[in-house]
Amino acid sequence: MAPTDETGQATRHTSSTGTPPPTEPRAGASGGPGARMPRWLPRAMVLALALIAVFQLGSWAFHQLTGLLINILIAFFLALAIEPAVSWMAGRGMRRGLATFLVFLAVLIAAAGFVMLLGSMLAGQIVKMVEEFPDYLDSVINWVNGHFHTELRRVDIQEGLLRSDWLRNYVQNSATGVLDVSAQVLGGLFQLLTILLFSFYFAADGPRLRRALCSVLPPARQAEVLRAWEIAVDKTGGYLYSRGLMALVSGVAHYILLEVLGVPYAPALAVWVGLVSQFIPTIGTYLAGALPMLIAFTVNPWYAVWVLGFVVVYQQFENYVLQPKLTSRTVDIHPAVAFGSVVAGTALLGAVGALIAIPAVATLQAFLGAYVRRYDVTDDPRVHGHRNRRSGPGGPARLRGLWARRAEPGGTGDGGSS
């Protein structure tokens, strides 16, 4: 049988050269066992593993240092708040470290006085409740015996409580929880000491810190950083000082009312109302007024009504008269924005976020006002909330006109010729 053309060509090529012809690899075929790995692949794998390791290490370190970072953030805002007072005292010849120490001493004395006032009020109320508890218990027992025809006695109830398993378990759990409470107290004191230490350094070494930050930036960036720092100091300090002044006015006003009504612990209640009403926006006044209303109710139920009416009236006076005058040159934030910022700060950082939310938003608002370009608003009725009605007849008049044209001889629905 005669070979084909391809077989004959391959046979002639083999006989002429003595070696088989090389076969070309087919397209898409993979390399054999001896194919080499690309040189960039090992380095890419090592780089990817290194990036994953760095990310995991950074995530672990961030979670471990979250508490410290929050403390530094609180200390930074506290340093910004006392910066105007420290700069004012340093500008009159006092050493900056001594000025910072005096400001911190005044703040600590005020905080200790507030805690002592509230502590004395709470201790007095607890002692009064303990002393009057037998009388309350006797009145409850008499009411139960009179309505349900029972023969309960206070001695039997006291012995039953003392011998109950619930009380025994509660005492045991309280005894075992003393160490946990002590550890929490010590941790809170250490956290407070850390915040005070960092804030003292930030305030006392403020100029040195600014110089160190600007030394790594070009001159144009240095001016922007210093301007941003100045805006943050003005807004944070202005917010706290204006709130402190309004807290003083609110406390004095409520103290006069409580003293006139004869409500006990009027100074402590006035300080409570002043601070809580000013540093918790929008609803702080009503939250702060709940405690004086409760204490006044124990004296006379009508006194609680008087306190409630005064809280509502004073809130309106503060919103429309006092606050615009005091915050016009410091911090002017819409109440809805303030409340939303507090809610967002609480969701992110808890109580700490609620405290620093408004100064942070005020600083951001100042940045936007300084760097964002604004334009004149066009004179359009829609800007003022009015609808822009089209000129010409309204809907019913237009329908009547179309119907009249349709009724004319030879008229059409569109008023045109057919």
Side-chain angles (χ1 to χ4, degrees), residues 401-418:
L402 291 174
W403 182 260
R405 287 196 299 270
R406 186 180 183 87
E408 293 178 359
T412 61
D414 297 333
S417 59
S418 57

Side-chain angles (χ1 to χ4, degrees), residues 54-120:
V54 170
F55 176 77
Q56 294 293 335
L57 181 62
S59 177
W60 174 81
F62 178 78
H63 285 87
Q64 294 295 324
L65 299 176
T66 300
L68 179 61
L69 295 177
I70 292 176
N71 293 337
I72 293 176
L73 181 64
I74 299 173
F76 179 72
F77 273 95
L78 183 59
L80 292 180
I82 66 174
E83 176 72 19
V86 173
S87 298
W88 181 81
M89 297 172 69
R92 280 154 180 79
M94 185 179 296
R95 294 181 58 184
R96 194 173 181 88
L98 180 60
T100 306
F101 174 76
L102 293 178
V103 173
F104 267 98
L105 183 62
V107 172
L108 291 177
I109 291 175
F114 174 68
V115 172
M116 289 179 62
L117 285 174
L118 287 183
S120 63

Side-chain angles (χ1 to χ4, degrees), residues 66-83 86 100 104 190-206 209 229 232-233 236 240 349 352-353 355-356 359:
T66 300
L68 179 61
L69 295 177
I70 292 176
N71 293 337
I72 293 176
L73 181 64
I74 299 173
F76 179 72
F77 273 95
L78 183 59
L80 292 180
I82 66 174
E83 176 72 19
V86 173
T100 306
F104 267 98
F190 180 76
Q191 185 178 4
L192 179 61
L193 180 62
T194 303
I195 292 173
L196 293 178
L197 185 62
F198 274 107
S199 58
F200 181 84
Y201 284 144
F202 286 154
D205 293 339
L209 181 61
W229 192 294
V233 169
T236 305
L240 292 181
L349 298 176
V352 175
L355 291 176
I356 67 176

Side-chain angles (χ1 to χ4, degrees), residues 371-390:
Y371 294 105
V372 176
R373 183 178 180 181
R374 297 181 179 271
Y375 300 92
D376 294 333
V377 180
T378 180
D379 190 9
D380 195 301
R382 289 170 292 185
V383 175
H384 306 285
H386 304 294
R387 293 181 61 187
N388 189 12
R389 298 181 179 274
R390 295 181 179 180

Side-chain angles (χ1 to χ4, degrees), residues 91-373:
R92 280 154 180 79
M94 185 179 296
R95 294 181 58 184
R96 194 173 181 88
L98 180 60
T100 306
F101 174 76
L102 293 178
V103 173
F104 267 98
L105 183 62
V107 172
L108 291 177
I109 291 175
F114 174 68
V115 172
M116 289 179 62
L117 285 174
L118 287 183
S120 63
M121 181 188 68
L122 294 176
Q125 290 295 320
I126 292 173
V127 171
K128 184 178 179 181
M129 290 175 61
V130 171
E131 291 177 351
E132 296 179 354
F133 180 75
D135 297 332
Y136 292 149
L137 186 59
D138 288 337
S139 62
V140 172
I141 291 173
N142 293 331
W143 183 84
V144 172
N145 290 335
H147 286 78
F148 297 98
H149 305 288
T150 58
E151 295 181 357
L152 297 176
R153 294 185 305 171
R154 177 158 57 91
V155 178
D156 297 336
I157 295 176
Q158 290 177 351
E159 290 181 356
L161 288 175
L162 293 175
R163 296 177 180 176
S164 63
D165 296 334
W166 173 82
L167 182 61
R168 188 181 300 108
N169 294 331
Y170 178 76
V171 172
Q172 291 177 357
N173 294 330
S174 300
T176 55
V178 170
L179 295 177
D180 296 336
V181 174
S182 302
Q184 292 179 0
V185 171
L186 292 177
L189 292 177
F190 180 76
Q191 185 178 4
L192 179 61
L193 180 62
T194 303
I195 292 173
L196 293 178
L197 185 62
F198 274 107
S199 58
F200 181 84
Y201 284 144
F202 286 154
D205 293 339
R208 186 183 303 175
L209 181 61
R210 287 190 287 269
R211 286 196 298 269
L213 182 61
C214 292
S215 63
V216 296
L217 298 174
R221 295 296 181 183
Q222 293 179 14
E224 296 296 329
V225 169
L226 293 177
R227 183 182 180 186
W229 192 294
E230 184 179 1
I231 290 175
V233 169
D234 291 341
K235 293 303 178 180
T236 305
Y239 167 74
L240 292 181
Y241 293 146
S242 62
R243 288 293 173 178
L245 185 57
M246 286 193 294
L248 178 62
V249 175
S250 176
V252 171
H254 288 84
Y255 170 75
I256 294 174
L257 173 68
L258 298 174
E259 193 68 28
V260 169
L261 294 178
V263 178
Y265 308 105
L269 292 175
V271 174
W272 165 265
V273 172
L275 292 179
V276 174
S277 63
Q278 299 307 319
F279 290 97
I280 300 179
T282 307
I283 60 174
T285 300
Y286 304 103
L287 292 178
L291 184 59
M293 286 176 56
L294 181 61
I295 303 299
F297 185 82
T298 59
V299 179
N300 190 339
W302 285 105
Y303 289 173
V305 178
W306 279 100
V307 173
L308 176 61
F310 183 81
V311 167
V312 173
V313 172
Y314 182 81
Q315 177 70 15
Q316 305 306 316
F317 167 76
E318 180 182 289
N319 289 339
Y320 295 102
V321 178
L322 186 62
Q323 184 173 352
K325 292 182 179 297
L326 294 179
T327 61
S328 59
R329 296 184 179 181
T330 55
V331 177
D332 189 11
I333 302 177
H334 193 274
V337 177
F339 182 74
S341 64
V342 171
V343 172
T346 305
L348 293 175
L349 298 176
V352 175
L355 291 176
I356 67 176
I358 293 183
V361 171
T363 304
L364 179 60
Q365 181 176 333
F367 287 160
L368 295 178
Y371 294 105
V372 176
R373 183 178 180 181

